[in-house]
Amino acid sequence: MPAPDSIRVAVVGATGYVGAELVGYLAGHPGARLTAVTSEQSAGKLLADVHPFLQGACDLGLVPFEPKAVAGEADVAFTALPHGASAAGVAALLDAGVEVVDLSADFRLSDPEEYARWYGTHPVPALLNEAVYGLTEFARAALPGARLVANPGCYPTGALLGLLPLLDAGHIETHGIVVDSKSGVTGAGRTVAAEYLFAEISDSFRAYKVGNHRHAPEIDGNVRARTGGDHSLTFVPHLLPIKRGILSTIYTRLRPGVDLAAVEQTFRARYEQERFVRVCGTRLPELREVVGTNDCAIGWAVDGGSNTLVTVTVIDNLGKGAAGQAIQNFNVMQGLPESTGLERVALVP
Amino acid sequence: MPAPDSIRVAVVGATGYVGAELVGYLAGHPGARLTAVTSEQSAGKLLADVHPFLQGACDLGLVPFEPKAVAGEADVAFTALPHGASAAGVAALLDAGVEVVDLSADFRLSDPEEYARWYGTHPVPALLNEAVYGLTEFARAALPGARLVANPGCYPTGALLGLLPLLDAGHIETHGIVVDSKSGVTGAGRTVAAEYLFAEISDSFRAYKVGNHRHAPEIDGNVRARTGGDHSLTFVPHLLPIKRGILSTIYTRLRPGVDLAAVEQTFRARYEQERFVRVCGTRLPELREVVGTNDCAIGWAVDGGSNTLVTVTVIDNLGKGAAGQAIQNFNVMQGLPESTGLERVALVP
Amino acid sequence: MPAPDSIRVAVVGATGYVGAELVGYLAGHPGARLTAVTSEQSAGKLLADVHPFLQGACDLGLVPFEPKAVAGEADVAFTALPHGASAAGVAALLDAGVEVVDLSADFRLSDPEEYARWYGTHPVPALLNEAVYGLTEFARAALPGARLVANPGCYPTGALLGLLPLLDAGHIETHGIVVDSKSGVTGAGRTVAAEYLFAEISDSFRAYKVGNHRHAPEIDGNVRARTGGDHSLTFVPHLLPIKRGILSTIYTRLRPGVDLAAVEQTFRARYEQERFVRVCGTRLPELREVVGTNDCAIGWAVDGGSNTLVTVTVIDNLGKGAAGQAIQNFNVMQGLPESTGLERVALVP
Amino acid sequence: MPAPDSIRVAVVGATGYVGAELVGYLAGHPGARLTAVTSEQSAGKLLADVHPFLQGACDLGLVPFEPKAVAGEADVAFTALPHGASAAGVAALLDAGVEVVDLSADFRLSDPEEYARWYGTHPVPALLNEAVYGLTEFARAALPGARLVANPGCYPTGALLGLLPLLDAGHIETHGIVVDSKSGVTGAGRTVAAEYLFAEISDSFRAYKVGNHRHAPEIDGNVRARTGGDHSLTFVPHLLPIKRGILSTIYTRLRPGVDLAAVEQTFRARYEQERFVRVCGTRLPELREVVGTNDCAIGWAVDGGSNTLVTVTVIDNLGKGAAGQAIQNFNVMQGLPESTGLERVALVP
């Protein structure tokens, strides 16, 4: 049972896959008390009527999203609205004094022109610079005291956790980077479209949006911060016939003099204190090891003939790729132990 | 972190699916401290080397099963050994002063002759009467102080939770009962056989062991305790192309004068105080609502034309059907709050 | 290549799952020449643009359904339109001189009042009696010369092929029959609804529409023709997390004096000449044995304690349960060898 | 029914996945008559008892493999034995006058030293040069009259069909090639091992054997024939939780002056006459489009920022990746129309 003095939180957009996952995490979070859940389409119903698996975890009724009403009930809001629809609501929440962890893409790109290329004109560009990009392991210093956290995209989380230590250490050539990612279907949210029907996905597999996925500029921007733009990177997402999880296979060329030992030393040094990053070494992690958790597991191999480093990262797109990392960011923002409410074991088998 | 005065527990047979699930539950159990994990085949390795998803949850090394060694380290043992292989070890543990929750079939049948028909001669028949059959919701009075709990089989758990309230209320004809059950593949354990290969199971479905499944006498014996043998029941298990979960569709004929309202009243009265039984009424529960948890969900419908009551129960065969119920029984045995360590939300989607 | 004098056929509603399956069968049918494919939503596109897997099999463009236009191009039409939407179009095709195999439910029930209870008022009730109910193995005499065949529903096909020989032989009690059926998702057609999304179906399983599925009266009507109404039958459909296939587990009580040998003799005698019914005896067939084919496989077991006969049938709901049986009916109607275009091997593994 | 003068063929190793797929293809092949099927483990049984889905397709009994006995019954043998176990039997078949399409890896590498690195000393190295590497679209001239065809590996087939036209046209840099392949589980054959159990594969995904997969030298050797060794290529296989199909995502850098139009022109020119290669252009093909067939579908996209060409190929690993291509090679060897027995439509959905 949450203590009476725990932090009051709201989930805005609670019936989507990310929203429901947030509720599941918050139900077991001893430092947060869920006080409001919103939905436009299902307002008036209980959340547990829409999602029976949440019976016992949440007995709240769904209400339409009203920033001021949320402000009356919550100290912090997790916003899980569609891209483009989130920014204005987030601004209103901030104005009303509510801190926000935003799980849409609306505050992930710092450049309003880049944002406009992918999502249309940004309604509150002034907030783009204030938002802290919440890849927790690389954002920890900026989170305490932040009013607004832009929770990273699922693909960027998996890609950047594998790439950034190598870039920071100068181990890899910055040109010719390939990120080949494979995601479960929930990465597309609860979109009701023929292409996501069971009978269209099961037993199949495909690449999509090669060269024009919205997460590409988010990955690129974070790499650019290390290279000043002197890099080239190809990102190709694929759709796995499973529900959850992203495995990214990252191809880079090692710089002269960098060997397997140096790679190992760098990953271990960077992540050895991290509760949610598991360094596997040359044992390549499987997707299922992290499904249902906030963990990222990283392994690698060197292909000797081509001097190519193959780095593999796995996350749960709804965990470390969305709701889990949002809770992690919330914990750091609020000064709680970082793993509060996040101590889960993957559901294997 | 478990308190220093928490109960020391061992998992005997920790590398199978049930054993690993027990470890996962115990890692988050505030009243138990896992002190020993055994495996014959993998002795000498860390459990987390065999099951990487348990890294962080358990850093113990695997040792061969020695009852006396276990007695030196644990107050209670969960034994998850194959049927037939368990009984002698359980007896030795009891002799050494260790309380036992046994997850094999070795103590589920009270009649040694019936046992022999299915499993061969019982090595310690004297214990058959001492063992408490741990269908928790129907065994609660007998559990505190018990030395040995026979944890129910997965199929019997789902079938009996749906049938017993109806039998106890005298609502249904005791002849012509049909239990049509569908189970995920982990119900067969981690058996390495061609028939359980991915390429043999995926996209297929089948019935098996009609009229001669080992769980049939376990179901039958519990029904017999209500009918004195004046009943007939057909149990047919099927194999679903999924990993976890059992859905049982139970067909019974309503006795004259019994209507839908009476059924509802009976189920609600019987289970309204139960934390781990969710009464859904005429909304039929889906399997996924309970996967990853210790919950059983029950719904029903009456087929008017044939006056047939169709009752549907769903459980996770590794949760309420095995490890979850074992923890629940442990909690009751030890005087802990019954839901300790079992507060989980199903992994949906 | 079809000969110039082969029969010209049209598929009305060619972009749904049943329609596309028909096209796939017809592409390899040496006695039929596909001349027209219709779709309201995708008119103007090539069928192979909507379904790339049909490239090479069909190079026709999609046109809106116009009965007279179809009559100009085809001798026989396969109509695969939604229930309720089909009847009027079928009537117009017949008026224009086109023979029809209708795969909707519109002509499966002979009683207009029964039809109205499930689907609304029938637009052309006069045709209900003319339509031949095309469970081929039981309709063979009526098919040659028929203008209109009502192709059976998928659930009824699997249920009736298992039940009718037993009823005809008088082997089973006619009360207390239970048909527990489990179907792949394509049984629901290409319905774009949240409940059929991959992330909602995968890893789950559920019963649905207990006591009120539209196929219940179709099964019941065919049983009634044997019992005069002196029977009771409960039909419960379930949704499997696979694409194709229906397995029905049928529970009946054997009449006094009927034993396993009598059951075997009856099934073998009834089906030994049937190309598309495989009698497996006490080996229970798996679903995958028939996926991709027009076959039905039947096996059984007797549960001695309860004198219950458990009969298991498996079909591909898009094969024998829809498109395959439609082709089979077409062949018999047209005087072609019954297996023309239907010689397929199941896709295993 | 095959004509009396059709070619008599044997399948050596008929109970594995590849062997059974061969039987399925041959059952519908009008120019071949299957006269013998072998198995060491299941000798004495009918093939249809081991694989019930082949009832009706093949009524032969299984016999142990005896080259001379095969020579008495067959003109051509398809050998589907494990790597290493095949070579000696193939040599004996050739000595006895039987032509062979070998589906093992034993004759795919022309260099005995390279072979030894991966599989051990080759028992009949003299045959390595005689064997025709049967990537049909690139081997057509050498096939008629060949005694021995080495059927390509599944990964090499998908990789090379996408790479070779680009290499032959000089469109791509030959260094830094990345082949990221994802395969269904049947690619591992019917290996009974814990890692291939349903409960270990379902809902998961992983990379494996990075830098040391046995198909790497096979891919490399075919590229080397174009580059003289002046190239570098990284091949990473992954295991999909599906039964069939390989999708390869191939990353190459375009040479200066080469644009999308040149790529399209090259692929179309190279494959426009090919029955079994479907050029999709910038529509990226899905795996399911080819499952159950002998087709390869190819699409591509250019990632402008990095000037990287992303080519995607899909095949059925048991079709074009094994049994289908073996039949295709057989047809060309024997002077039959190349598509004989291979006219299939993918099983969608």
Side-chain angles (χ1 to χ4, degrees):
Chain A
M1 288 292 97
D5 61 347
S6 61
I7 300 160
R8 299 172 308 155
V9 301
V11 173
V12 176
T15 59
Y17 291 146
V18 169
E21 186 83 353
L22 281 163
V23 172
Y25 273 106
L26 291 167
H29 192 295
R33 183 155 49 94
L34 186 60
T35 56
V37 286
T38 84
S39 166
E40 307 310 302
Q41 285 198 313
S42 301
K45 295 183 185 173
L46 294 178
L47 176 58
D49 286 343
V50 178
H51 288 301
F53 80 98
L54 290 174
Q55 278 182 28
C58 175
D59 58 2
L60 294 171
L62 291 159
V63 295
F65 173 37
E66 292 286 347
K68 285 185 184 164
V70 170
E73 298 182 292
D75 307 305
V76 181
F78 295 90
T79 47
L81 298 175
H83 309 322
S86 190
V90 167
L93 285 166
L94 293 174
D95 285 346
V98 180
E99 296 174 16
V100 177
V101 179
D102 181 52
L103 291 98
S104 83
D106 281 359
F107 298 97
R108 294 176 189 158
L109 303 178
S110 52
D111 176 356
E113 288 185 31
E114 185 69 26
Y115 181 91
R117 263 194 288 280
W118 299 90
Y119 301 98
T121 305
H122 200 286
V124 281
L127 286 174
L128 286 178
N129 275 323
E130 179 180 347
V132 174
Y133 184 76
L135 187 66
T136 324
E137 286 73 13
F138 291 82
R140 201 169 280 121
L143 288 167
R147 286 199 312 164
L148 171 58
V149 174
N151 214 57
C154 49
Y155 283 122
T157 295
L160 295 171
L161 288 172
L163 269 175
L164 297 188
L166 298 169
L167 287 167
D168 287 342
H171 281 347
I172 54 173
E173 304 291 349
T174 59
H175 283 270
I177 299 170
V178 168
V179 178
D180 186 290
S181 294
K182 303 86 173 174
S183 175
V185 179
T186 55
R190 208 180 182 186
T191 310
V192 180
E195 66 183 309
Y196 299 121
L197 291 176
F198 181 86
E200 305 287 318
I201 295 286
S202 179
D203 293 326
S204 196
F205 181 68
R206 61 182 164 96
Y208 67 104
K209 290 195 181 167
V210 176
N212 66 348
H213 191 283
R214 289 170 169 188
H215 285 179
E218 186 180 337
I219 297 170
D220 204 70
N222 281 276
V223 171
R224 182 176 307 268
R226 270 77 182 176
T227 66
D230 181 23
H231 74 271
S232 60
L233 184 153
T234 301
F235 165 61
V236 175
H238 302 71
L239 195 59
L240 286 166
I242 63 172
K243 292 178 300 182
R244 286 172 178 249
I246 295 176
L247 185 148
S248 293
T249 312
I250 304 167
Y251 299 85
T252 54
R253 273 171 302 140
L254 292 175
R255 283 192 169 148
V258 180
D259 61 8
L260 198 57
V263 169
E264 171 124 20
Q265 202 274 337
T266 293
F267 273 126
R268 296 216 180 268
R270 181 63 188 81
Y271 290 133
E272 69 188 341
Q273 302 300 328
E274 293 294 346
R275 164 64 182 85
F276 297 111
V277 182
R278 187 188 307 156
V279 178
C280 301
T282 54
R283 182 186 73 79
L284 299 181
E286 293 182 62
L287 204 43
R288 62 180 183 153
E289 291 176 40
V290 299
V291 169
T293 78
N294 188 48
D295 297 337
C296 173
I298 301 181
W300 58 84
V302 171
D303 183 42
S306 61
N307 200 34
T308 297
L309 175 65
V310 180
T311 307
V312 171
T313 69
V314 291
I315 60 169
D316 184 333
N317 56 296
L318 295 177
K320 183 66 179 170
Q325 187 157 249
I327 303 290
Q328 188 182 359
N329 285 327
F330 164 82
N331 289 341
V332 180
M333 283 169 81
Q334 305 297 327
L336 298 168
E338 190 166 326
S339 64
T340 309
L342 294 170
E343 298 286 3
R344 290 186 171 194
V345 174
L347 196 71
V348 176
Chain B
M1 288 291 96
D5 61 349
S6 61
I7 301 160
R8 299 171 308 154
V9 301
V11 173
V12 175
T15 59
Y17 291 147
V18 169
E21 185 83 354
L22 281 163
V23 172
Y25 272 107
L26 290 167
H29 192 295
R33 183 154 48 95
L34 186 60
T35 56
V37 287
T38 84
S39 166
E40 307 311 300
Q41 287 198 313
S42 302
K45 295 184 186 173
L46 294 178
L47 176 57
D49 286 343
V50 178
H51 288 300
F53 79 98
L54 290 174
Q55 277 182 28
C58 175
D59 58 2
L60 294 171
L62 291 159
V63 295
F65 173 38
E66 292 286 347
K68 286 186 184 164
V70 169
E73 298 182 291
D75 307 304
V76 181
F78 295 90
T79 47
L81 298 175
H83 310 321
S86 191
V90 167
L93 286 167
L94 292 174
D95 285 347
V98 180
E99 297 173 15
V100 177
V101 180
D102 181 53
L103 291 97
S104 83
D106 280 359
F107 299 96
R108 293 178 190 158
L109 302 178
S110 52
D111 177 357
E113 290 185 30
E114 185 69 27
Y115 182 91
R117 262 194 288 282
W118 298 90
Y119 303 98
T121 305
H122 199 285
V124 281
L127 286 174
L128 285 177
N129 274 323
E130 179 179 347
V132 175
Y133 184 75
L135 187 66
T136 324
E137 286 73 13
F138 291 83
R140 202 169 281 121
L143 289 167
R147 286 199 311 163
L148 171 57
V149 174
N151 214 58
C154 49
Y155 283 122
T157 295
L160 295 171
L161 289 173
L163 269 176
L164 295 188
L166 298 170
L167 287 167
D168 286 342
H171 281 346
I172 55 172
E173 304 291 350
T174 59
H175 283 270
I177 299 171
V178 169
V179 178
D180 186 291
S181 295
K182 302 88 175 173
S183 175
V185 179
T186 55
R190 208 180 182 186
T191 311
V192 180
E195 66 184 308
Y196 299 122
L197 291 176
F198 182 86
E200 304 288 319
I201 294 285
S202 179
D203 292 326
S204 196
F205 181 68
R206 60 183 165 98
Y208 67 104
K209 291 193 181 169
V210 177
N212 66 347
H213 191 283
R214 289 171 168 185
H215 285 179
E218 186 179 337
I219 297 171
D220 204 70
N222 281 276
V223 171
R224 181 175 307 267
R226 269 78 182 175
T227 65
D230 181 21
H231 73 271
S232 60
L233 184 152
T234 301
F235 166 61
V236 176
H238 300 72
L239 195 60
L240 286 167
I242 63 172
K243 292 179 300 182
R244 288 172 178 249
I246 294 176
L247 185 148
S248 294
T249 312
I250 304 167
Y251 299 85
T252 54
R253 272 171 304 140
L254 291 175
R255 284 192 169 147
V258 180
D259 61 8
L260 198 57
V263 170
E264 171 124 19
Q265 201 274 336
T266 293
F267 274 125
R268 295 217 182 267
R270 181 62 188 81
Y271 290 133
E272 68 189 342
Q273 302 299 327
E274 294 294 345
R275 164 64 182 86
F276 296 111
V277 182
R278 188 188 307 157
V279 178
C280 301
T282 54
R283 182 187 73 79
L284 299 180
E286 293 182 62
L287 205 43
R288 62 180 183 153
E289 291 175 39
V290 299
V291 169
T293 77
N294 188 48
D295 298 338
C296 173
I298 300 181
W300 58 82
V302 170
D303 182 41
S306 60
N307 200 35
T308 297
L309 175 65
V310 180
T311 307
V312 171
T313 69
V314 291
I315 60 168
D316 184 332
N317 55 296
L318 294 178
K320 183 66 179 170
Q325 187 157 249
I327 304 290
Q328 188 183 358
N329 284 327
F330 165 82
N331 289 340
V332 180
M333 283 169 82
Q334 305 297 327
L336 298 168
E338 190 165 325
S339 65
T340 310
L342 294 171
E343 299 285 5
R344 288 185 171 195
V345 174
L347 196 71
V348 176
Chain C
M1 287 290 97
D5 61 348
S6 59
I7 300 159
R8 299 172 307 155
V9 301
V11 173
V12 176
T15 59
Y17 292 146
V18 169
E21 186 83 353
L22 281 163
V23 172
Y25 272 106
L26 291 166
H29 192 296
R33 183 155 47 97
L34 185 60
T35 56
V37 287
T38 85
S39 165
E40 307 310 302
Q41 286 199 313
S42 301
K45 295 183 186 173
L46 294 177
L47 176 58
D49 286 342
V50 178
H51 288 301
F53 80 98
L54 290 174
Q55 278 182 27
C58 175
D59 59 1
L60 294 171
L62 292 157
V63 296
F65 173 37
E66 293 285 347
K68 286 186 184 164
V70 170
E73 298 181 291
D75 308 303
V76 180
F78 295 90
T79 47
L81 298 175
H83 309 321
S86 191
V90 167
L93 286 167
L94 293 174
D95 285 347
V98 180
E99 297 174 15
V100 177
V101 179
D102 181 51
L103 291 99
S104 83
D106 281 0
F107 298 97
R108 293 177 190 158
L109 302 179
S110 52
D111 176 356
E113 290 184 31
E114 185 69 26
Y115 182 91
R117 263 195 287 281
W118 298 90
Y119 303 98
T121 305
H122 199 286
V124 281
L127 286 174
L128 286 178
N129 275 323
E130 179 179 349
V132 174
Y133 184 76
L135 187 67
T136 324
E137 286 73 14
F138 291 82
R140 202 168 280 122
L143 287 166
R147 285 199 312 163
L148 171 58
V149 174
N151 214 57
C154 49
Y155 283 122
T157 295
L160 295 171
L161 288 172
L163 269 175
L164 295 188
L166 299 170
L167 287 167
D168 287 342
H171 281 346
I172 54 172
E173 304 291 350
T174 59
H175 283 269
I177 298 170
V178 169
V179 179
D180 186 291
S181 294
K182 303 86 173 174
S183 174
V185 179
T186 55
R190 208 180 183 186
T191 312
V192 180
E195 65 184 309
Y196 299 122
L197 291 176
F198 182 87
E200 305 287 320
I201 294 286
S202 179
D203 292 326
S204 197
F205 181 68
R206 61 181 165 97
Y208 68 103
K209 291 195 181 167
V210 177
N212 66 348
H213 191 283
R214 289 172 169 184
H215 285 178
E218 186 179 338
I219 297 171
D220 204 71
N222 281 277
V223 171
R224 182 175 306 266
R226 269 78 182 176
T227 66
D230 181 21
H231 73 272
S232 61
L233 184 153
T234 301
F235 165 62
V236 175
H238 301 72
L239 195 60
L240 286 166
I242 63 172
K243 290 178 300 182
R244 287 171 178 250
I246 294 176
L247 184 148
S248 294
T249 312
I250 304 168
Y251 299 86
T252 54
R253 273 172 302 141
L254 291 175
R255 283 194 168 146
V258 179
D259 61 8
L260 198 57
V263 170
E264 171 125 19
Q265 201 274 337
T266 293
F267 273 126
R268 294 216 182 268
R270 181 62 189 81
Y271 290 133
E272 68 188 342
Q273 302 300 328
E274 294 295 346
R275 164 64 182 86
F276 297 111
V277 182
R278 188 188 307 157
V279 179
C280 302
T282 54
R283 183 187 73 79
L284 300 180
E286 294 183 62
L287 204 42
R288 63 180 180 153
E289 291 175 39
V290 299
V291 169
T293 78
N294 187 48
D295 297 338
C296 174
I298 301 182
W300 58 82
V302 170
D303 183 42
S306 60
N307 200 34
T308 297
L309 175 65
V310 180
T311 308
V312 171
T313 69
V314 291
I315 60 168
D316 184 333
N317 55 295
L318 295 178
K320 182 67 177 169
Q325 188 158 247
I327 304 290
Q328 188 183 359
N329 285 326
F330 165 82
N331 288 341
V332 181
M333 283 169 82
Q334 305 298 326
L336 298 168
E338 190 166 325
S339 65
T340 309
L342 295 170
E343 298 285 4
R344 288 185 172 196
V345 174
L347 195 72
V348 176
Chain D
M1 287 290 97
D5 62 347
S6 60
I7 301 159
R8 298 172 307 153
V9 301
V11 173
V12 176
T15 59
Y17 291 146
V18 169
E21 186 83 353
L22 281 163
V23 172
Y25 273 107
L26 291 166
H29 192 296
R33 183 156 48 96
L34 185 59
T35 56
V37 288
T38 85
S39 166
E40 307 310 302
Q41 286 199 312
S42 301
K45 295 183 186 173
L46 294 178
L47 177 58
D49 287 342
V50 179
H51 288 300
F53 80 98
L54 290 174
Q55 277 181 29
C58 174
D59 58 2
L60 294 171
L62 291 158
V63 296
F65 172 38
E66 292 285 348
K68 285 185 185 167
V70 170
E73 298 182 291
D75 308 303
V76 181
F78 295 90
T79 47
L81 298 174
H83 309 322
S86 191
V90 167
L93 286 167
L94 293 174
D95 285 347
V98 181
E99 297 174 15
V100 177
V101 179
D102 181 51
L103 291 98
S104 82
D106 281 0
F107 299 97
R108 293 177 190 158
L109 302 178
S110 52
D111 176 357
E113 290 185 30
E114 185 69 27
Y115 182 91
R117 262 194 288 281
W118 298 90
Y119 303 97
T121 305
H122 199 286
V124 281
L127 286 175
L128 286 178
N129 274 323
E130 178 179 348
V132 175
Y133 184 76
L135 187 66
T136 324
E137 286 74 13
F138 290 82
R140 202 168 281 122
L143 288 166
R147 286 200 311 164
L148 171 57
V149 174
N151 214 56
C154 49
Y155 284 122
T157 295
L160 296 171
L161 288 172
L163 269 175
L164 295 188
L166 298 170
L167 287 166
D168 287 341
H171 281 346
I172 54 174
E173 303 291 349
T174 59
H175 283 270
I177 298 170
V178 169
V179 178
D180 186 290
S181 294
K182 302 87 173 174
S183 174
V185 178
T186 55
R190 209 180 181 185
T191 311
V192 180
E195 66 184 308
Y196 299 122
L197 291 176
F198 182 87
E200 305 287 319
I201 294 285
S202 178
D203 291 327
S204 197
F205 181 68
R206 61 182 166 97
Y208 67 104
K209 291 195 181 167
V210 177
N212 67 347
H213 191 283
R214 288 170 169 186
H215 285 178
E218 186 179 338
I219 297 170
D220 204 71
N222 281 278
V223 171
R224 181 176 308 267
R226 269 78 183 176
T227 66
D230 181 22
H231 73 272
S232 60
L233 184 152
T234 301
F235 165 61
V236 175
H238 300 73
L239 195 59
L240 285 167
I242 63 172
K243 291 178 300 183
R244 286 172 179 250
I246 294 175
L247 184 148
S248 294
T249 313
I250 303 167
Y251 299 85
T252 53
R253 273 172 302 140
L254 292 175
R255 283 192 168 148
V258 180
D259 60 9
L260 197 57
V263 170
E264 170 124 19
Q265 201 274 337
T266 293
F267 274 125
R268 295 215 181 268
R270 181 63 188 80
Y271 290 133
E272 69 187 343
Q273 303 300 328
E274 294 294 344
R275 164 65 183 84
F276 296 111
V277 182
R278 189 187 307 156
V279 178
C280 301
T282 54
R283 183 187 73 78
L284 300 181
E286 294 182 62
L287 205 42
R288 63 179 181 155
E289 291 174 40
V290 299
V291 170
T293 77
N294 188 47
D295 297 337
C296 173
I298 301 181
W300 57 82
V302 171
D303 183 42
S306 60
N307 199 35
T308 297
L309 174 66
V310 180
T311 307
V312 171
T313 69
V314 290
I315 60 169
D316 184 333
N317 55 295
L318 295 178
K320 183 67 179 170
Q325 188 157 247
I327 304 290
Q328 189 182 359
N329 285 326
F330 165 82
N331 290 340
V332 180
M333 283 169 82
Q334 305 297 328
L336 298 167
E338 190 166 326
S339 65
T340 309
L342 294 170
E343 297 286 5
R344 290 186 171 194
V345 175
L347 195 71
V348 176

